[in-house]
């Protein structure tokens, strides 16, 4: 059982400016819930009991959203608004623990995970990018969980896109199909300008194992503006320790 889900939410969301000047993109409302809540629900359906949010100084609204508001709950209870109270309390079930870790420098995903190393380095965990919203009969994490139980290793959730869209994504270089819909990888090509190795692309849901995290920890001496997360993936791919799982949704 993978118990922890990590949400990488420290980015500035510059592609959504000027809206993100005052609202974190993870807090954009989609119908009646902020985007990040859909990602949390995705992970909770897979049975996680520990949520770790890697944030930055501009994400106080996100932290407040997942905090308990005793005064608001009391007012709803006194007003007899039981359904609203139930909805508010269901955001984070009582058996789930939340931790917030601050990424102090904008050095990318590998650095963000390194900042949370004390919570993450010993066991596998789900990693989610909340700005990918995936709606399916089973959540993306549930589908990864099923694949992991059969073949435990670091995994990326993938879907097919048109070849002329591959330049927008991380594209899988497939070694072979080991099980239906599960592919062992030679590597991952980030946003190829031409000749993509496949049309299978990453869609923001992962399982990270201690072996990958060990490679991430090796990057802590990097002086690069953004730590090269792809180096960690590439090393494990060459060792046959990463697979891609085609998900529906």
């Amino acid at each position: 059982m993978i118990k922890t889900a990590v949400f990488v939410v420290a980015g500035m969301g510059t592609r959504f400016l000027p809206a993100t000047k005052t609202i974190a993109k993870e807090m954009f409302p989609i119908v009646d819930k902020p985007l990040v809540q859909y990602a949390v629900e995705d992970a909770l359906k897979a049975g996680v009991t520990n949520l770790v949010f890697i944030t930055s100084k501009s994400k106080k609204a996100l932290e407040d959203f997942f905090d308990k508001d005793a005064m608001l709950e009391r007012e709803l209870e006194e007003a007899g608004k039981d359904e609203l109270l139930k909805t508010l309390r269901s955001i984070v079930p009582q058996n789930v623990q939340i931790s917030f870790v601050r990424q102090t420098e904008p050095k990318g995903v590998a650095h963000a995970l390194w900042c949370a190393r004390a919570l993450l380095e010993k066991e596998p965990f789900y990693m989610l990018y909340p700005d990918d919203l995936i709606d399916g009969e089973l959540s993306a994490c549930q589908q990864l969980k099923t694949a992991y139980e059969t073949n435990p290793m670091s995994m990326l959730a993938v879907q097919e896109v048109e070849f002329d869209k591959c330049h927008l994504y991380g594209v899988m270089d497939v070694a072979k199909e080991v099980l239906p819909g599960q592919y062992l990888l030679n590597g991952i090509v980030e946003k190829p300008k031409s000749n993509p190795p496949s049309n299978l692309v990453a869609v923001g849901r992962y399982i990270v194992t201690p072996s990958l995290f060990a490679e991430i920890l090796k990057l802590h001496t990097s002086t690069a503006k953004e730590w090269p997360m792809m180096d960690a993936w590439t090393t494990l791919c060459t060792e046959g320790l990463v697979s891609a799982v085609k998900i529906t949704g």
Side-chain angles (χ1 to χ4, degrees), residues 11-241:
M12 298 176 65
T14 52
R15 286 176 293 177
F16 288 96
L17 284 169
T20 47
K21 186 178 180 182
T22 55
I23 303 172
K25 66 179 177 180
E26 299 83 16
M27 296 303 295
F28 283 179
I30 307 294
V31 188
D32 59 348
K33 292 183 285 192
L35 185 55
V36 67
Q37 189 176 342
Y38 291 92
V40 167
E41 291 170 355
D42 186 325
L44 291 176
K45 288 174 182 176
V48 304
T49 55
N50 185 29
L51 308 179
V52 178
F53 294 87
I54 303 176
T55 69
S56 59
K57 65 179 182 179
S58 62
K59 302 301 175 84
K60 187 176 185 304
L62 185 147
E63 296 182 17
D64 289 344
F65 177 76
F66 288 104
D67 196 5
K68 183 178 177 65
D69 191 332
M71 182 178 294
L72 177 57
E73 290 187 13
R74 184 167 60 251
E75 289 180 1
L76 292 174
E77 190 171 13
E78 291 174 354
K81 297 181 179 181
D82 296 337
E83 285 302 313
L84 279 176
L85 181 61
K86 182 179 178 181
T87 298
L88 194 65
R89 288 175 172 170
S90 70
I91 293 173
V92 179
Q94 287 187 339
N95 68 321
V96 174
Q97 177 180 326
I98 295 184
S99 302
F100 294 97
V101 176
R102 180 71 61 89
Q103 183 182 19
T104 55
E105 299 176 86
K107 290 189 173 183
V109 174
H111 179 265
L113 295 176
W114 183 82
C115 291
R117 60 194 180 280
L119 300 173
L120 304 177
E121 61 184 327
K122 295 181 180 179
E123 296 183 354
F125 57 88
Y126 298 103
M127 181 172 69
L128 300 91
Y129 296 163
D131 51 357
D132 281 319
L133 193 160
I134 303 169
D135 180 30
E137 184 175 346
L138 293 174
S139 78
C141 287
Q142 283 177 302
Q143 294 175 65
L144 286 176
K145 176 184 176 182
T146 298
Y148 184 83
E149 288 169 348
T150 302
N151 194 16
M153 61 173 59
S154 290
M155 293 180 167
L156 301 86
V158 299
Q159 291 188 326
E160 293 185 14
V161 299
E162 299 295 329
F163 275 94
D164 63 359
K165 302 294 184 185
C166 285
H167 68 282
L168 300 172
Y169 300 93
V171 181
M172 305 302 109
D173 181 358
V174 174
K176 61 180 179 179
E177 187 172 17
V178 291
L179 291 168
Q182 186 173 347
Y183 308 87
L184 203 62
L185 298 181
N186 288 322
I188 305 164
V189 182
E190 184 65 20
K191 298 181 180 177
K193 294 181 179 179
S194 61
N195 300 318
S198 75
N199 67 333
L200 293 171
V201 303
V203 290
R205 302 290 186 270
Y206 306 81
I207 290 178
V208 175
T209 64
S211 57
L212 179 61
F213 206 88
E215 296 301 320
I216 292 169
L217 292 178
K218 292 177 183 178
L219 300 174
H220 80 278
T221 58
S222 173
T223 58
K225 183 177 180 181
E226 183 169 317
W227 287 15
M229 179 71 167
M230 197 55 65
D231 287 3
W233 283 115
T234 298
T235 299
L236 257 66
C237 285
T238 59
E239 296 173 358
L241 298 176

